[in-house]
Structures are given as C-alpha cells and as structure tokens.
C-alpha cells in the first residue's frame, strides 16, 4: 500500500513538473523581449510571412534558431508623389536602406504630369541622426565627388521611413518589448507600439491581413511631420534574384489624408545588398555645431 | 488493476517528460561551451581550454590542425559567425560588429526545408552582418553588381584560388624558427576552390618593393611577432581575387593585408585588415574568426578531392549557390 502511494505520488510530481516545465518552455519560446505570448506569436507570424525569420537546413545548422535576416534593402519603383508644394508629380523612386545602422538614401526624380518643367532630382540621406542631401550617392565623401548639404532638421522624418515599412514594424514592435500591444479591429489583428530613440513620442499602429502581412501603418505624435499613413498591398517576392523575402508591390503614403507617395514597385532587393551610408565630414561638423541635433538612435 | 493503473500513469509521466528533456537538451546549451560540448544550435565563441604551448624561443606555438570547429565553408554556423552574427541561444543573437540585437525565434520543429529554401536563407544569413568595407563611392554600384552576379563574376569560380584574406585562417599551420607554412585545403561541392599554401618567412627580412613584384594570389607575406600575436604582412597581389568571402569585394594590385593570429589554449583568433586606398575610403578589418585546434592529436590533413566545378554551368538564375 505504501509502495503504491509512493508510486502515485512520484507520478503526480512528475506530471506536475512536466506541465510546469513545458509551460515555462512555452513562455520562453513565445516571449521575446518582454512581449506577452500572443503579441510575440503574432509578431513572429508577421516575420515569417515576410520571409524575415529564417533558418537553414545546412549540415550542422539544423538546430540554429530562426533569426531576422533583413538588414539592407534596395527598392525601385515609379508612380506619383508630392514635393511639398505640388502633388501628383510623376516620380521615379529609388530607396537604399539599412536597419543596422539605421540609414536611408531616398533618391527621387520628379516631373510634372505634362512634362513641362525640368525633372527635379533629389537624394535625401540619413544615418543615425545625421541627415544630409547628396548631389550624387556618396557625395561629400571625397574631393571631386559631389556635394553633401547638411539637413539635420529632416533626420527624424527620414528615419521614420524605416520604421513604417513592414520590416520596421517587426523590428520596432520587438524592440518596444511589453509596450507592444495586440488587439483586433474589424476582425483583423492590430499591433501598436511606441518608437524610441530620436522618434520617442511617435506611436505606431500596424494592421495585418489574414496572411499576417502588414497592410496599413499609421503613426501618431505631436509633430505633424511624423504623422503618416502607409498602405501596403500586392505582396510577393519582387527581387530580381528570388530570396523568399515578401515585399509590397504597391505603396501608398498619405499625410493629412492626402497622398504624398503612390508607387508601384519594379524591383525590391531584400537580400542584403552592398549598401553603405558613411557620414561626410562636413555633415558631422555641421551637427557638432548644432548641439542636440545629432542625437543617438540607440533604442531603435 | 491498481498496479496496472500506476504503471500507466508512470509511463504517461515518462512520455510527457521526453519532449521536455529533448527541449532542455536543445535550449539549455551553455553560452560558453567547451570544444567537447559545443552545440551547433549556437555559434558564439567557445571558451578556450588548455594551455598555450610555446616554442623554445618563447613564442606561442601555432603549429596544428585548426579545424576543430568544422571551420570549412560548408559549416553555416561558423560562416555566419565569420560574417558577424553571434547566436547565443534559441532566443538571443547579436551583430558582432555593432553589438545590435537581432530578433531570434526558437526552432519549433525539425521539419527539413528544401535545398532552394536553404540556399536562399543562407544567402540572406551570410549577408546580414553590418561589418562592410567602405569603398570609394564610384565603386558602390560595381561591388553590388559583382555580388548580384557572383555566379558569373566570382573570381574563385572554376576552382581558382580564393586568395588572401578571403581564404580565412589556414587549416594547418606549421611553425618553424624562421618561417611558417600555411595550408588552405580546397573545397569541392558547395563552393569549389583550389588548395592554397603559403611559405611565410619570419627572419626579419623586409618586403620586396611592390613595383618589383609580380602579383600573385597569395602575395608576398612576411611574418613577425608583436608580443604573443603573430602578424603577417602581405602585399604583391594580383587582382584575380575578392578579399571577403561574400559581397563582390574586389581590390587593386596595391592591396596591403595585415593578418593577426593569436592563440589562447585550443583557440586561434584571426583577423585581417585590408588597406587599399585605390578602391577603399578607409582600411577595413574582418570580423574576428575563431578556429579550434583539432582535438585529436593524431589528426592529419586529409587529401581533398581535386576541385571540379560542375554546378556553374547549370546556374540559370542569379540565385547564389
């Protein structure tokens, strides 16, 4: 009788231990950086849908975890945009971006719909909190290679472009930890989180579809320049060489309810191409003369 | 009856424990494993073990077969670390160069992925690191194009030598009082390259003037000691190599490479600094690579199969192989 009781007790303890262990295990598996399990699970689903979370089956690597494989991207498209004073301008759109370090080089060529005025070509660049305009990619880095004009006041607006892209949603939602919330609106999942670093004060709301693609990103904050709305659709692997990274085929950005960018994607290289964003010396000097302008991007 | 019930409950408990035990074995890997326990679910630097032997002249003895971590090109965990991604656990990774955290999700199943999916994932994984050489702006597009078209442009295709420093640390080092022998076995299959060797004097001689050298794949290397670190200074290269494992990193004939080797017990740390003002804005240093001494003292360097490129002719897309 005593033996039977001991066996029963041991079995019960074993079962309780199993449940306790596996519950803890499940929490570890689903909980990244303080997110609740549902939020983490949803963010992971978005990362998997986008082709961000990848593993490999190469020899000796079968047990490696999934990691975020998105760092650098290059995007080409065409459509219409606004230059601040005119809307609906025909636009050739070319973006090079990096999340580590946070950097964007946005090159646009705009012409009026009737083709009357000369094309307007701009290259707007940001790295960390340094922002500048380039006469050509890499301008200002060596003598004879164009000019770099500091544009420190535009840094936050340019950096924001990183974090309203679908991949930025995943990265920033994870970085926000337990401040990231999951809810349901009109039957679809919505993730909300605050940005940090130089974009502290901006809150992002990302709407997902049934396939866990990000279909809409809306920001809120006190600075009107940082309040934008972006719609993403037609997801596919738009790379010339297929990488499995799913990207939108259509981007529509609005500010104040008005379209500021409406682009059809031609090519989206998500396979971490060679893209670099060194800060020209004159831009660093300019930032040093404007204390507080070159704030750290730590936290993003 | 009662006994049967108890047995069944115990059996159930044991069956329940099985996945937990497996999960524990997967995820509770120490972050600083020893060579013997090194788990390929992570790729962080293992804790060195053993003492560093010294030669009669007092220098660290680097002699040995440095392939204890499977440091070949087919070992993705190593390759990812070489490209700057340190995976510490099933939920934590970081960029070695910048320290930035990288989102990490545990393996949920062992379902194999097909070769195409694996190749595409590897293409992304190998390029995700942030430590990139800064070329002069006029070459940015060229580097990108070379990488994108590596199936046609990679100079190591068709069994040509990888060159220095693309070949990484040597698999075998033979240390003698006045010279070193480095051997880099070739690779068949995945990335086919030719076996390379270098004989590197360490007798205090100076470099031959660059203008007097005919460029070669491995250049003119000369070694000296800086404390316990072996420094190999090399120039006199041809332009038929790329200097990093990936990325279309071409160089000029004026490239100057300084490699540093430091032994700590069973670990060898290797870095290379590439200086080439013709094409780079500033010198670039590789992410440190860690090689482990083969734990078998009787291990020998096996002959590798003759390099025979059989895949390139069948490449019909720009997907990397």
């Amino acid at each position: 009788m005593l033996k039977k009781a001991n066996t029963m007790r041991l079995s019960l303890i074993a079962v309780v231990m199993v449940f306790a262990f596996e519950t803890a295990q499940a929490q570890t598996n689903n909980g990244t950086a303080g997110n609740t399990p549902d939020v983490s699970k949803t963010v992971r689903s978005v990362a998997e849908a986008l082709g961000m979370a990848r593993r490999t089956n190469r020899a000796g690597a079968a047990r490696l975890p999934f990691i975020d494989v998105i760092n650098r991207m290059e995007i080409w498209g065409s459509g219409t945009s606004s230059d601040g004073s005119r809307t609906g301008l025909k636009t050739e759109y070319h973006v090079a971006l990096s999340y580590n370090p946070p950097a964007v080089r946005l090159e646009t060529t705009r012409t009026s719909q009737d083709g009357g005025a000369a094309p307007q070509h701009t290259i707007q660049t940001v790295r960390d909190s340094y922002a500048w305009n380039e006469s050509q990619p890499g301008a200002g880095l060596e003598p004879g290679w164009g000019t770099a004009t500091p544009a420190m006041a535009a840094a936050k607006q340019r950096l924001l472009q990183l974090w309203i892209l679908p991949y930025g949603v995943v990265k920033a939602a994870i970085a926000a930890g337990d401040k990231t919330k999951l809810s349901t609106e009109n039957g679809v999942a919505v993730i909300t989180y605050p940005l940090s670093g130089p974009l502290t004060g901006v809150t992002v709301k990302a709407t997902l579809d049934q396939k866990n693609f990000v279909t809409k990103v809306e920001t809120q904050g006190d600075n009107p320049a940082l309040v934008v709305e972006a719609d993403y659709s037609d997801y596919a692997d738009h790379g010339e060489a297929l990488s499995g990274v799913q990207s939108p085929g259509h981007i529509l950005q609005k500010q104040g309810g008005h379209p500021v960018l409406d682009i059809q994607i031609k090519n989206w290289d998500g396979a971490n191409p060679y893209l670099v964003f060194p800060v020209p010396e004159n831009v660093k000097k300019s930032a040093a003369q404007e204390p507080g302008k070159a704030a750290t991007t730590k936290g993003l | 009856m009662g006994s049967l019930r108890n047995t069944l409950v115990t059996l159930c408990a044991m069956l329940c424990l099985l996945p937990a035990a497996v999960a524990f074995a997967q995820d509770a890997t120490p972050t600083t494993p020893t060579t013997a326990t090194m788990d390929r679910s992570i790729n962080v630097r293992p804790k060195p073990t053993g003492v560093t032997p010294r030669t009669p002249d007092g220098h660290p003895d680097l002699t040995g077969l440095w392939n204890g971590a499977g440091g070949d090109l087919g070992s993705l965990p190593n390759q990812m670390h070489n490209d700057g991604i340190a995976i510490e656990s099933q939920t934590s990774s970081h960029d070695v160069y910048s320290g930035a955290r990288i989102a990490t999700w545990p393996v949920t199943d062992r379902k194999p992925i097909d070769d195409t999916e694996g190749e595409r994932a590897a293409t992304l994984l190998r390029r995700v690191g942030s430590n990139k050489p800064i070329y002069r702006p006029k070459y940015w597009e060229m580097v990108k194009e070379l990488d994108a078209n590596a199936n046609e442009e990679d100079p190591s295709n068709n069994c040509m030598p990888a060159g220095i420093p693309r070949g990484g640390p040597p698999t075998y080092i033979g240390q003698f009082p006045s010279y070193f022998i480095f051997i880099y076995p070739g690779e068949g299959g995945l990335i086919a390259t030719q076996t390379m060797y270098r004989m590197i004097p360490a007798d205090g001689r100076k470099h031959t003037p660059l203008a007097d050298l005919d460029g070669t794949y491995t250049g003119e290397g000369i070694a000296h000691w800086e404390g316990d670190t072996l420094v190999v200074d090399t120039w006199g290269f041809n332009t038929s190599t790329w200097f990093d494992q990936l990325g279309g990193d071409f160089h000029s004939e004026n490239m100057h490479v300084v490699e540093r080797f430091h032994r700590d017990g069973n670990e060898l740390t290797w870095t290379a600094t590439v200086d080439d003002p013709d094409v780079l804005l500033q010198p670039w240093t590789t992410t440190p690579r860690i090689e482990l001494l083969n734990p078998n003292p009787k291990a020998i360097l096996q002959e590798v199969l003759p390099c025979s490129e059989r895949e390139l002719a069948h490449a019909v897309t720009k997907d990397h192989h």
Side-chain angles (χ1 to χ4, degrees):
Chain A
M1 187 63 189
L2 190 61
K3 189 179 173 187
K4 188 190 287 185
N6 281 342
T7 307
M8 286 286 281
R9 193 177 300 123
L10 280 172
S11 302
L12 195 62
I13 290 168
V15 170
V16 169
M17 281 177 64
V18 168
F19 282 120
F21 186 90
E22 293 200 332
T23 302
Q25 193 71 13
Q27 286 172 349
T28 302
N29 288 352
N30 291 327
T32 303
N35 291 150
T36 59
D38 282 350
V39 177
S40 292
K41 192 175 172 185
T42 301
V43 172
R44 177 175 182 157
S45 298
V46 177
E48 289 178 348
L50 292 171
M52 292 176 74
R54 302 287 273 274
R55 60 179 278 244
T56 176
N57 64 346
R58 281 271 166 74
R63 291 170 60 183
L64 289 178
F66 291 69
I67 69 164
D68 172 6
V69 295
I70 299 298
N71 185 5
R72 296 176 300 278
M73 295 182 139
E74 192 165 20
I75 308 159
W76 294 263
S78 60
T80 58
S81 69
S82 161
D83 66 357
S85 57
R86 296 173 295 169
T87 59
L89 297 168
K90 287 170 65 177
T91 301
E92 289 300 315
Y93 174 83
H94 176 207
V95 181
L97 63 89
S98 157
Y99 285 97
N100 177 22
V104 180
R105 178 176 290 113
L106 168 61
E107 185 172 6
T108 51
T109 304
R110 296 186 175 99
T111 52
S112 56
Q113 290 289 359
D114 60 10
Q120 178 190 43
H121 181 243
T122 60
I123 304 176
Q124 300 175 331
T125 307
V126 64
R127 172 175 171 165
D128 296 315
S129 287
Y130 296 101
W132 67 101
N133 298 330
E134 299 175 322
S135 60
Q136 59 184 326
L141 291 172
E142 56 180 328
W145 193 259
T147 55
T149 308
M152 302 304 295
K156 291 181 182 180
Q157 200 172 356
R158 294 179 187 180
L159 278 176
L160 183 67
Q161 295 298 317
L162 282 176
W163 309 107
I164 61 172
L165 281 174
Y167 319 94
V169 166
V170 171
K171 292 170 187 282
I174 290 171
D178 57 10
K179 293 176 184 169
T180 299
K181 306 296 179 193
L182 175 67
S183 60
T184 304
E185 290 184 13
N186 302 317
V188 294
V190 171
I191 303 169
T192 54
Y193 52 87
L195 295 179
S196 54
L199 295 173
T200 297
V202 177
T203 303
V204 179
K205 173 182 167 185
T207 304
L208 312 180
D209 68 8
Q210 299 298 330
K211 294 179 178 175
N212 292 311
F213 287 132
V214 177
T215 56
K216 183 183 278 294
V217 176
E218 300 158 274
T219 65
Q220 290 187 326
D222 294 336
N223 183 348
L226 303 180
V227 178
V228 297
E229 180 183 330
D231 293 328
Y232 302 104
S233 56
D234 304 335
Y235 277 89
D237 186 341
H238 292 288
E240 188 180 356
L242 299 179
S243 66
V245 174
Q246 302 295 306
S247 54
H250 182 213
I251 299 175
L252 175 63
Q253 278 190 23
K254 295 178 185 173
Q255 274 195 302
H258 303 292
V260 291
L261 185 72
D262 189 344
I263 294 294
Q264 293 291 337
I265 299 302
K266 296 175 185 171
N267 184 8
W268 192 308
D269 184 351
N272 297 316
Y274 177 79
L275 299 167
V276 291
F277 306 86
V279 183
E281 283 304 316
N282 70 309
V283 175
K284 288 180 185 172
K285 284 178 185 168
S286 172
Q289 289 162 5
E290 297 180 69
K293 289 290 186 183
T296 177
T297 52
K298 196 173 180 181
L300 279 173
Chain B
M1 186 65 189
S3 173
L4 180 63
R5 189 177 67 231
N6 290 343
T7 305
L8 283 172
V9 170
T10 307
L11 200 61
C12 274
M14 288 173 69
L15 285 171
C16 286
L17 273 169
L18 191 61
V22 171
F24 183 81
Q26 283 178 10
D27 297 337
T29 311
T31 53
T32 53
T34 62
T35 311
T37 62
M38 195 164 169
D39 189 323
R40 307 312 287 164
S41 67
I42 61 171
N43 71 356
V44 291
R45 178 183 190 143
K47 188 177 178 181
T49 59
V51 295
T52 303
R54 291 187 180 268
T55 55
D57 59 8
H59 294 304
D61 189 352
L62 308 187
T63 298
L65 202 49
W66 294 98
N67 61 357
D72 58 277
L73 288 169
S75 170
L76 197 71
N78 275 12
Q79 203 169 77
M80 285 173 63
H81 194 277
N82 296 342
D83 204 45
I85 304 302
I87 298 173
E88 298 130 350
S89 73
Q90 289 283 306
T91 54
S92 177
S93 305
H94 71 274
D95 185 290
V96 176
Y97 180 68
S98 70
R101 305 305 307 177
I102 293 175
T104 310
W105 298 274
V107 171
T108 48
D109 62 55
R110 296 298 190 88
K111 190 173 66 177
I113 53 179
D114 64 36
D115 285 349
T116 301
E117 194 182 342
E119 292 284 357
R120 288 176 182 165
T123 295
L124 288 153
L125 289 162
R126 290 175 192 158
R127 286 168 174 76
V128 71
S130 67
N131 184 15
K132 298 295 167 194
I134 306 295
Y135 276 84
R136 294 186 176 279
K138 63 181 172 184
Y139 296 122
W140 289 358
E141 283 300 313
M142 184 173 166
V143 176
K144 201 167 53 185
E145 287 300 311
L146 288 172
D147 185 31
N149 296 292
N151 287 353
E152 295 173 355
E153 302 289 351
D154 190 332
S156 74
N157 287 344
N158 295 307
C159 302
M160 298 306 285
I164 304 299
R166 193 182 189 188
T171 299
Y172 173 78
I173 296 177
Q175 182 170 338
F176 302 91
S178 60
Y179 66 95
F180 289 80
I181 296 291
F182 291 175
I183 299 179
Y184 306 76
E187 296 271 346
L190 176 66
I191 300 174
T193 55
Q194 191 183 88
T195 294
M196 297 190 302
Y197 63 85
R198 299 163 81 188
M199 182 172 180
I200 299 172
D203 55 4
R205 73 179 69 182
K206 303 294 182 192
H207 268 304
T208 307
L210 190 58
D212 295 344
L213 287 170
D214 288 328
T216 59
Y217 287 92
T218 57
E220 181 190 69
I222 294 175
H224 69 275
W225 290 95
E226 291 182 3
D228 281 350
T229 298
L230 179 72
V231 179
V232 178
D233 187 301
T234 308
W235 72 11
F237 295 101
N238 64 27
T239 57
S240 301
T241 63
W242 287 350
F243 63 74
D244 196 15
Q245 284 199 5
L246 301 161
D249 296 324
F250 74 98
H251 60 85
S252 79
E253 61 188 7
N254 293 320
M255 178 173 73
H256 178 199
V257 178
V258 176
E259 298 161 272
R260 293 177 185 277
F261 299 77
H262 187 86
R263 179 172 182 171
D264 184 3
N266 68 334
E267 271 190 18
L268 184 70
T269 302
W270 173 90
T271 60
T273 298
V274 177
D275 191 9
D276 189 351
D278 288 0
V279 300
L280 297 180
L281 274 181
Q282 59 202 50
W284 175 76
T285 299
T286 63
T287 301
R289 285 179 63 167
I290 314 300
E291 299 296 320
L292 297 183
L293 189 67
N294 192 310
N296 178 4
K298 293 184 177 177
I300 60 168
L301 197 55
Q302 299 285 351
E303 177 183 328
V304 293
L305 291 172
C307 183
S308 175
E309 176 61 71
R310 290 184 292 250
E311 295 181 356
L312 270 181
H314 305 289
V316 293
T317 70
K318 291 186 175 183
D319 288 14
H320 293 284
H321 71 126

